[in-house]
Structures are given as structure tokens and as C-alpha cells.
Amino acid sequence: MALFNIFIFPGILFLVVAGLWFEFVDRRMYARMQHRQGPPWFQPLADFIKLIAKETIIPENANRRLFVSMPVVALTATISAFFYIPLWSTHALYSFQGDSIVVMYLLTLPTLTFFLAGWYSTSLYSTIGAVRSLTQFFAYEIPLFMAVLAPAMLANDWSLAGIATYFTAHPLLALLNVPALGVALVTLLGKLERVPFDIPEAETEVVAGAFTEYTGRHLALFRLAIDIEVIVAGSLLVAMFLPFGLALPAWLGFLVYLLKITFVVAVIAILRSIMARLRIEQMVNFCWKILAPVALAQLLLNLVVKGFLHS
Amino acid sequence: MLGEVLAHLCAKPNTIKYPFEPAVVEAGLRGKIKFVAEKCIGCKICVKDCPADAITITKIGDKRFECVFDLDKCIYCAQCVDSCPKKALSVTNEFELAQLDKHKLRFVFHAPDAPPTPPAPAAQPEPPVAKTA
Amino acid sequence: MSKITIPLGPQHPALKEPASFKITLNGEEIYSMDMRLGYNHRGIEKACEERTYIQGLYLIERICGICSHSHSTAYIQALEELAGLQVPKRGLYIRTLIAELERIHSHLLWLGVAAHEVGFDTLLMYAWRDRELVMDHLAEIGGNRVNYAVNTLGGVRRDLTPAEIAHILKDVDTLEERTKYYAQVATEESTLIARLSKIGYLSKTDAELLGAVGPTARACSVDRDIRRDDPYAAYGDVQFKVCVDDHCDVYGRVLVRVGELMESYSIIRQLLKNLPDGPIAVKAPRRIPAGEAISRYEAPRGEDCHYVKANGTDKPERVKIRAPTLANWRAVRKMIEGNYLADAPIIIAAIDPCFSCTDRAIELVRPAGAATLTWGALRQHGIDWYRKQGLDFADLNKKLATQLGRVK
Ligand code: SF4
Ligand code: SF4
């Protein structure tokens, strides 16, 4: 049963299917908002298969082992994070005190792999993209951490399953975290490198940033990892901030879960369709001057409320 | 901007599913050139004025002229149509002219009482290999 | 961080045509830039000398894939002056109409490209969608979306029907509304303004000194427009305002172009309202008397100059073209230094560059003593080189032919 859970449902296979499906949802919505037709539903899968079948080229000067292993590391990290997140019930596949921190760290791994992949590709565009990835990482990671930890603080529990249980018991308290949800959604754009924070892979400046030298199946794995990251990060936000409907029967809960993920994907698609890409220094300023104070205020608020509740 | 994109989210897309849906082209579009052999007098002004050397008129008999278009050379400017004193040439708005086989891009308009062969792929000698390299 | 040099082009996603920009960076800041043209040289000027005037006209039109009408009008104006042809009024009006439609299509295209350079793809899609309205009219009137081929010696080739006029007027109204919306987006969308303002600064003095033209110069408060200063075609008969802006940065260039769009709509309305009756062209001779003429034209990108020397035959003796991008070229370096790498694409795009228009000459850098290759030898060299790599095109062709034969 454990093996079934890990490999099939709600494990790897489910993640891959969901990742590709929500890439389609994102692309289709983005296209429709731009008044275009958009791709058919199988396009992400077709792209994936096409990339796998393509020739892979590894730059001569690149560190071969690192270059090849980075996509796998990114993929593994995102998938492992998934097992600790409660999806449509208050239980996660695996759970322990402090797993919320572990999940956050597992989710920072892909960004690090982007950096290493870019850096060890040794091409100019990749290097610049890699450095930008890292700069951006330092800007959004703090607000993201603070935002995600706010509910944990309120629930006084460091396991995701525990937090979900707490908020299912006190659903109204979840509404308190709305500013943190906003911050988390915006920083998520940075993590996923979407407009307006797609600075590290800005096509018109640095071609494809860290991925410039990636081809064939390595690129396919990277893209799959990013697709899955969307689902995993979305699930994390949903579990933390929208813990509604977790007590429902499994099938209904599953539908609600899908709806919630669709909501996150839709917000990302809308945000990226109404904004221009920022410059890196504008992005850093924005994160430190606006997002970080908001997240901080949320933490303080939650501390105060928690003091009230427990007194 | 937000209102605009949300409105478009529900609207019908502005693009079409070409080639599954036919593309509508303007009536005035200059496409493939049509040649009416009966009207041609063989003055070859069209050949002289064509900027792309795409048109050849050959005399194949008494007052009978055959016309060969190289669809891959033609730039569809319709100067030949303007130049022809007898209105033997005219524009159509046929535009889907791409071919996998480049021999099909040589389009021959046969003279009137030539044997009624279908106008499409004309049997052409294989062009020398060096030319296509 | 030490200085690094990164190449932007000749092949780069930000460039729609090849040109090379070698950017030396100090961190993310641009320290200096080296620009090279010449990847798009097609020898058009020389080729014109080998063709008759009529044939050359279609070649001239292909100098640029966007302002094709600009080049052909500039060229033909020089020819008509030499031949002493008096183009009928209606012909001139139609020429001007096409010129303004082309300006709209070019500026909307530019708006989309500029939006894409700063990652605002939704605006790109909207601008290009609306541009289709103009493209449809150009195809309907001219016969093609890009190379309309409306001009001919002594006038224009196609006339307008009343139905078409009504249709154009209707679409111009739609476009005007849309353009107002873009103007609103440009003045309200905060991320867009953050990306466009205060970059690519070019002072008025520099603009004049470096010879900038068109919207690039007008956005630096240089009040210069050939349509008003030296009216050609029907521009003497219409009222319009020359859009000038004093921002001197990329944002100002956006405002100028959006303003020009609005002016174009008004010009089109005036032209269609006062469209005179009569013939659209006069008969032109095949030979043009000897002489020289220079013709100036305000293309969407700025002043376009054509020089023609005729020698009494049906072919020109010399044709010389100075495209607007060449005039703006030197200003780019001035604009770009001191900005961030992230802004390089949009600063380059802000002059609305057209490299294939500009590439008039190439310089062959050859090691001393190297032989000159003839065309045939160069071709053979290419074939041999590929054969050494294991690629034989002769084989491929044969294979392809047999395969196709099998299919048939
Ligand atoms: S349309 Fe133009 S290019 Fe084609 S055959 Fe006629 S004159 Fe030549
Ligand atoms: S110009 Fe007209 S009449 Fe003369 S050869 Fe050509 S098609 Fe025939």
C-alpha cells in the first residue's frame, strides 16, 4: 500500500499527471486572457515526449555529473516534499513535528539546482541567469518563509497535518491569514520564476537563463520538475491557508482540493498576464520594502491573537 | 488591465484554428496568377517586366502560346497582369501554394488545343543535382 | 564582480533580425557596448542598377518588411521628379492613405514588440490583434499584407471603392478606441511604467548631434517631421499635429508613438473625406531622362532618404538609400551606457530598429594574402566542407526524389 501511495496515487504518477494538466490549465487560461486559442490539452505531454526524444547536448566545459544530476535532484526534492502535505484530509502520507520546515527547505532545493545548473553550464547567459536566480531567491525566500510560518505559529504546531487539523477545528481563524496568503502567492511567482519575476530566465535578455544550455531529456526533466513544483507549492499554500473541506468524504474532498489548486494556478496565470517583468533591483526592493513588512505584520498579528486565545 | 483580461477569459478567441478551419482572405489579395492562352499574342512584355523571372512564354505553334509559372520564384506582385496588353493574365486569390515536391511548383498553362492533360504536376526533367544542392 | 562581455546577437531572442551588440557589463550595469551591422546585407542598391525601373520598384519595396511602402514611395518620388510626372490628386491621396495605414501597422507592431521586450506579453497579443484590422485593409487595398505594391510610376495601381472607404472609416473608429485604451495602460500600468521610464536617456543636444530622426528624436523634444517640414504626397492638404515629448527616455518614445497613432487616425479621416475624383495614375515612360534626384519621406521610424541617378535608359545608374535606422544607430550607444543589462533589449527596441533596411555595405575582413573566392568556388567550398562532415546534399536530394517518387 505504501508503495502504491508513493508511486501511483497520490504519489509520483498523480503528480506527473496533475503537473502536466495544470500546465495546460495555466497555458490555456493565459492564452484565453490574451484572446488566443491556446494549446490543446495534450500539449504539455506532447512537449514532454518531444523533448525526451530530442538529442541531448552537454556543453564541453560543463561539469558533466552536476549538469546531468541537477534536473533529477530538482524533481526528487519537489516530489519528496509532496508526501508531507495534507491534501484532501487532515492527514498527510507522512508526518512529524517540524515537517512544515522540512517541506519549505525541500522546496528551496529546486532554486538551488537552477543556480548550480546554470553556474556549471559555464555559458554566459546561464551564469547570469544563475546569479539572478540566487539574488531573487534571497529576496523572496524570507517573506515566503514568514508568510508560511504565520499559520503554523497561530496553530502552535509545526507539522502540516497538525496545522490542518487545527484550522479545520477553527475555520474562522484561517481568515486571519489572508495577508500572508497574498504574500505567499506573490512570492510563489518568484519561486516559480513567472512574470513579473521571471527575471532569471528573461527570454529577451538572457535567452533562457540557467536552462540555456539544457536540451533533450534533461530539459524535459527540469520542466517536469517546475510543473510539479507548481502543484506541490500550491498544495502547500492550500493546506496552510485554505484548510476548508478537509473533513468531507474523500471524493468530495478531492474535488475541493482540485478546485483549490485550480484557484492557485488561475491566480498565477492572471498575475502574469497583467504585468510586465520587473528589473532585478526593482524586484528585490519590492520584496524587502513591501512583502517583508506585510509578512512581519502578519506574524505579529498572529502572535497577539495567539496570546489572546491561550490566555 | 485586470478587467480586460478577465473579460477576454470568457470571450471567444480572436484567432482561428487554421488549418482545421479555413482562413478567410481578402478579395483583393494577390495570389496565383491565371493565364488564358486564347488571349495571349506572345508579345512577352510580361516576361520583360517580371521582377522575379518567374514567367516564361513559349511559342508552341501558330498563334499558340504556352505559359510556365515558377511559383517558387514568383513574388505575386501582379506586375505581369498590369503589363499584359491583352488581359491574358489575371490574379486569383489562391494562396495555399506550398508543396513538398518542388517540381509541382512549376505550373504550366497549356495552349488551347493541346492534348487535355490535367494542369497540375507537369512532367519535368529532373533538374541537375548540383542546382538543388 | 569583474567586467564581463556578453554578446547580444547576432542571434538572440530579443532581436528580430541579426545585428551584434557586445555588451560589457559591470555587474548588471552596462559599461560599454560595441555594435556591428552587416549580417543582413543583400546588395539591393547594386541589384537595382541591373533591373529596369519597374522591376526595381518591387525590389525596393522589399528593403523593409514593415515600411515597404515608405521605401517604394521615397524611391518613386525621386523617379517621378526626374521624369517630370504629375501624379493625379486621387493617386496622391491613396498613396498617403496607405502611408498612414502603414504607420499605424508599424507603430502597433512596435508597441507589441516593446511590450514583449519587457515581458508584457498580453499587451503584445492585444496590440497585434488590433494590428490585424489594418493588415486586412492593406491586403484588401494593396493586395498583400506586407508588400502592398500600391505604387507604380506615375501614381498608384489600385483604386478605392466606396464600400472600402466606409469599412476603413469604421475600423479606424475601433482602432482609435483601442489606442486610447493603450494610452491608458501606458500611463497607468505600474510595472510597465517602472520598466520604461528613466531608461535610455538621450538629451535633446545629443539627439541633434547624433542625428537621430523620427519618433526617437521627437521623444527628445526635437520638433522635426518631414511630413510637415517638407510636405510630399497629400500631406500639404491635411491638418495634423507633430507629436513631441520631453521625457527623453523610452517612456517618452512610447508616448510619441501612441500620439502619432491618434494623429494618423485623424489624417485618414481627412483623406477619405476629401478624396478627390479622377484618375489614379498617369502613363509613365519606360526610360527616364538623365538627372539626379533626392527624395525625403517620413517613414514610421523616421526620415528615409533615397537618391537616384538616371542616365536616360530604363535602368538607374545609381541608387542610394539611407534608412532611418542608420540615422538612429549612433544614438543607441549613447542611450544604453549606464543602464542595466535588463534594459538593453528595450532600449535597442525603442528606436524601432530595422537592420535589413540599414545594411547597405559590408566590410570584408580578410587575413592578408587570402585569395578572393569566386561565387562558384565559394559554393564548391561549401559543398566540400559539408561532405567532409559526412553530409552530402547531392545524396540527400536523390534520396528525397526517390522517396517522393515512391509516394506518388
Ligand atoms: S506576379 Fe510578379 S513575379 Fe509573379 S509572374 Fe507576375 S510579374 Fe512575375
Ligand atoms: S504580356 Fe500578355 S499577351 Fe504578351 S506574352 Fe504576356 S501574357 Fe501574352
Side-chain angles (χ1 to χ4, degrees):
Chain A
M1 194 58 195
L3 276 185
F4 176 79
N5 279 341
I6 289 177
F7 284 105
I8 314 285
F9 191 83
I12 297 173
L13 189 68
F14 167 73
L15 264 182
V16 170
V17 172
L20 293 176
W21 169 256
F22 281 105
E23 185 195 332
F24 157 72
V25 172
D26 175 59
R27 282 168 70 174
R28 183 61 161 244
M29 279 187 69
Y30 188 53
R32 280 296 157 93
M33 284 188 281
Q34 297 179 340
H35 222 174
R36 292 186 285 126
Q37 294 273 358
W41 63 269
F42 53 79
Q43 194 64 50
L45 182 65
D47 285 353
F48 184 74
I49 294 173
K50 183 196 79 182
L51 275 181
I52 293 236
K54 290 265 173 189
E55 181 189 2
T56 47
I57 302 164
I58 297 177
E60 233 167 34
N61 297 334
N63 183 326
R64 212 187 151 84
R65 213 174 306 147
L66 265 170
F67 188 87
V68 173
S69 58
M70 277 309 129
V72 183
V73 174
L75 197 60
T76 327
T78 36
I79 294 180
S80 351
F82 191 64
F83 297 130
Y84 297 99
I85 303 175
L87 304 172
W88 46 85
S89 67
T90 51
H91 296 289
L93 214 51
Y94 298 97
S95 167
F96 58 89
Q97 271 305 321
D99 61 6
S100 56
I101 308 286
V102 171
V103 166
M104 288 302 294
Y105 271 107
L106 282 175
L107 280 181
T108 60
L109 272 183
T111 315
L112 285 178
T113 61
F114 298 166
F115 169 74
L116 289 175
W119 190 260
Y120 284 104
S121 303
T122 62
S123 107
L124 273 174
Y125 298 122
S126 305
T127 315
I128 294 179
V131 173
R132 284 179 172 192
S133 266
L134 215 56
T135 317
Q136 175 161 316
F137 170 75
F138 288 123
Y140 69 72
E141 199 61 20
I142 306 285
L144 179 61
F145 251 82
M146 290 201 287
V148 171
L149 291 190
M153 205 122 107
L154 196 58
N156 210 4
D157 199 315
W158 295 101
S159 80
L160 288 165
I163 297 168
T165 320
Y166 179 81
F167 281 110
T168 312
H170 311 84
L172 280 183
L173 278 183
L175 294 179
L176 207 62
N177 294 321
V178 169
L181 172 63
V183 173
L185 276 173
V186 174
T187 44
L188 192 61
L189 290 174
K191 192 174 217 27
L192 300 171
E193 302 188 349
R194 298 285 163 93
V195 177
F197 301 145
D198 66 335
I199 307 157
E201 42 189 281
E203 182 200 339
T204 48
E205 298 155 26
V206 288
V207 187
F211 309 125
T212 308
E213 300 298 332
Y214 273 85
T215 45
R217 55 180 189 278
H218 303 304
L219 182 61
L221 284 186
F222 252 139
R223 291 190 44 167
L224 188 65
I226 293 173
D227 282 349
I228 289 180
E229 202 186 348
V230 175
I231 306 292
V232 176
S235 304
L236 177 68
L237 294 199
V238 161
M240 281 281 193
F241 296 104
L242 304 169
F244 309 115
L246 295 185
L248 294 173
W251 65 272
L252 199 60
F254 182 62
L255 280 185
V256 172
Y257 164 74
L258 286 186
L259 265 182
K260 287 193 277 195
I261 296 288
T262 314
F263 166 75
V264 173
V265 171
V267 170
I268 294 175
I270 292 175
L271 283 179
R272 82 185 171 113
S273 74
I274 62 171
M275 277 192 243
R277 180 190 313 126
L278 291 175
R279 255 197 311 268
I280 187 96
E281 104 281 359
Q282 289 169 336
M283 188 272 173
V284 174
N285 276 345
F286 174 73
C287 284
W288 284 108
K289 290 198 180 141
I290 297 177
L291 292 184
V294 172
L296 205 59
Q298 172 84 60
L299 275 183
L300 288 178
L301 177 75
N302 283 11
L303 268 181
V304 172
V305 173
K306 187 172 138 195
F308 266 113
L309 288 177
H310 293 268
S311 61
Chain B
M1 206 70 203
L2 183 61
E4 189 82 8
V5 296
L6 289 182
H8 281 117
L9 189 56
C10 315
K12 194 174 162 294
N14 200 42
T15 48
I16 58 163
K17 288 186 173 159
Y18 186 77
F20 305 110
E21 285 170 29
V24 189
V25 294
E26 294 69 29
L29 187 88
R30 293 187 307 260
K32 193 169 159 186
I33 307 290
K34 202 169 129 208
F35 173 75
V36 180
E38 288 86 344
K39 292 190 190 162
C40 181
I41 52 166
C43 66
K44 297 205 180 164
I45 296 181
C46 52
V47 181
K48 188 156 170 275
D49 275 354
C50 174
D53 269 344
I55 181 169
T56 343
I57 303 267
T58 20
K59 186 167 184 176
I60 53 163
D62 188 31
K63 290 212 178 127
R64 283 175 60 217
F65 300 95
E66 195 177 79
C67 171
V68 180
F69 276 100
D70 287 317
L71 296 183
D72 48 350
K73 281 191 193 164
C74 180
I75 57 173
Y76 305 98
C77 61
Q79 177 61 43
C80 50
V81 178
D82 287 2
S83 295
C84 176
K86 291 287 163 200
K87 306 236 171 326
L89 295 162
S90 56
V91 250
T92 67
N93 56 15
E94 197 183 320
F95 68 102
E96 287 161 313
L97 302 170
Q99 291 286 358
L100 278 177
D101 180 1
K102 68 191 259 180
H103 300 134
K104 288 190 190 156
L105 289 171
R106 283 211 119 194
F107 198 92
V108 185
F109 287 98
H110 290 284
D113 40 345
T117 39
Q124 282 294 324
E126 184 98 335
V129 168
K131 231 183 190 169
T132 55
Chain C
M1 217 164 149
S2 59
K3 291 195 183 79
I4 49 167
T5 302
I6 75 158
L8 204 79
Q11 303 294 334
H12 191 279
L15 303 173
K16 312 300 170 238
E17 290 174 273
S20 157
F21 301 88
K22 282 216 181 74
I23 300 182
T24 307
L25 288 178
N26 200 350
E28 280 263 337
E29 203 179 301
I30 297 171
Y31 177 73
S32 66
M33 183 173 79
D34 180 30
M35 317 184 289
R36 287 286 146 93
L37 277 171
Y39 298 90
N40 243 346
H41 178 66
R42 292 165 294 167
I44 285 194
E45 288 175 358
K46 190 74 189 163
C48 280
E49 295 168 18
E50 317 262 298
R51 284 167 173 73
T52 63
Y53 288 107
I54 288 280
Q55 290 175 327
L57 189 55
Y58 297 101
L59 185 62
I60 290 278
E61 198 167 48
R62 280 159 178 77
I63 289 176
C64 180
I66 299 166
C67 34
S68 54
H69 185 73
S70 305
H71 284 289
S72 86
T73 310
Y75 180 65
I76 216 147
Q77 279 176 6
L79 297 186
E80 281 161 0
E81 187 173 318
L82 285 174
L85 293 172
Q86 206 63 50
V87 181
K89 266 255 141 116
R90 192 176 171 92
L92 285 181
Y93 269 64
I94 294 177
R95 230 179 234 180
T96 317
L97 172 77
I98 299 285
E100 287 308 311
L101 285 175
E102 178 176 87
R103 192 177 316 276
I104 296 171
H105 124 61
S106 172
H107 281 357
L108 282 175
L109 179 114
W110 177 83
L111 187 67
V113 170
H116 176 68
E117 302 286 6
V118 295
F120 198 178
D121 281 357
T122 309
L123 186 56
L124 159 76
M125 295 297 166
Y126 287 178
W128 283 30
R129 173 197 62 193
D130 297 333
R131 171 174 165 267
E132 281 305 305
L133 289 177
V134 187
M135 301 305 277
D136 288 349
H137 284 301
L138 286 170
E140 182 62 50
I141 306 169
N144 202 320
R145 287 163 55 87
V146 175
N147 297 304
Y148 338 111
V150 178
N151 284 323
T152 188
L153 260 176
V156 293
R157 295 170 62 195
R158 294 218 192 172
D159 205 354
L160 288 174
T161 63
E164 258 164 37
I165 294 176
H167 196 184
I168 295 177
L169 284 173
K170 196 178 117 249
D171 281 352
V172 164
D173 288 345
T174 323
L175 281 169
E176 186 162 23
E177 211 154 281
R178 299 295 310 175
T179 311
K180 278 192 191 137
Y181 174 69
Y182 298 137
Q184 189 197 338
V185 169
T187 46
E188 282 175 8
E189 202 56 48
S190 51
T191 48
L192 191 65
I193 299 172
R195 276 310 300 277
L196 297 181
S197 47
K198 303 211 173 45
I199 58 163
Y201 186 83
L202 184 71
S203 68
K204 184 176 177 183
T205 339
D206 281 338
E208 278 171 343
L209 221 58
L210 296 169
V213 294
T216 313
R218 287 196 283 276
C220 305
S221 42
V222 179
D223 190 4
R224 190 186 294 152
D225 191 324
I226 307 298
R227 291 179 292 172
R228 180 199 60 197
D229 303 341
D230 183 9
Y232 53 89
Y235 284 111
D237 302 356
V238 289
Q239 301 293 318
F240 63 97
K241 187 172 109 244
V242 174
C243 298
V244 182
D245 192 89
D246 55 4
H247 275 83
C248 303
D249 56 7
V250 173
Y251 186 57
R253 285 161 216 150
V254 177
L255 294 184
V256 165
R257 290 199 172 93
V258 172
E260 283 186 8
L261 281 174
M262 299 305 277
E263 287 306 314
S264 288
Y265 302 139
S266 123
I267 295 178
I268 289 178
R269 290 208 188 93
Q270 295 175 40
L271 287 172
L272 291 178
K273 198 167 123 236
N274 305 326
L275 191 67
D277 288 326
I280 53 167
V282 290
K283 187 125 182 52
R286 278 184 180 269
R287 289 166 199 282
I288 292 198
E292 319 173 79
I294 207 164
S295 145
R296 307 205 288 165
Y297 180 101
E298 185 74 24
R301 289 158 178 67
E303 181 187 344
D304 183 20
C305 282
H306 281 231
Y307 162 83
V308 183
K309 184 171 184 192
N311 54 7
T313 61
D314 59 351
K315 291 176 182 157
E317 179 156 314
R318 175 82 171 99
V319 178
K320 169 78 199 140
I321 301 147
R322 203 292 318 267
T325 303
L326 191 66
N328 285 327
W329 189 241
R330 294 203 302 154
V332 176
R333 177 181 290 156
K334 187 86 200 163
M335 290 179 209
I336 216 165
E337 277 166 16
N339 285 282
Y340 289 101
L341 168 66
D343 294 327
I346 179 70
I347 294 176
I348 295 170
I351 68 161
D352 202 354
C354 181
F355 302 133
S356 61
C357 291
T358 307
D359 276 359
R360 289 280 81 81
I362 49 169
E363 186 189 356
L364 291 178
V365 185
R366 229 186 353 233
T372 314
L373 291 181
T374 61
W375 178 243
L378 188 65
R379 221 180 127 259
Q380 196 51 47
H381 173 78
I383 294 173
D384 290 346
W385 191 85
Y386 275 110
R387 211 167 262 157
K388 250 186 252 150
Q389 315 283 315
L391 254 179
D392 198 334
F393 286 107
D395 269 7
L396 282 182
N397 268 314
K398 251 182 241 148
K399 259 188 219 152
L400 194 68
T402 45
Q403 256 177 18
L404 287 170
R406 219 177 295 139
V407 172
K408 245 187 260 164

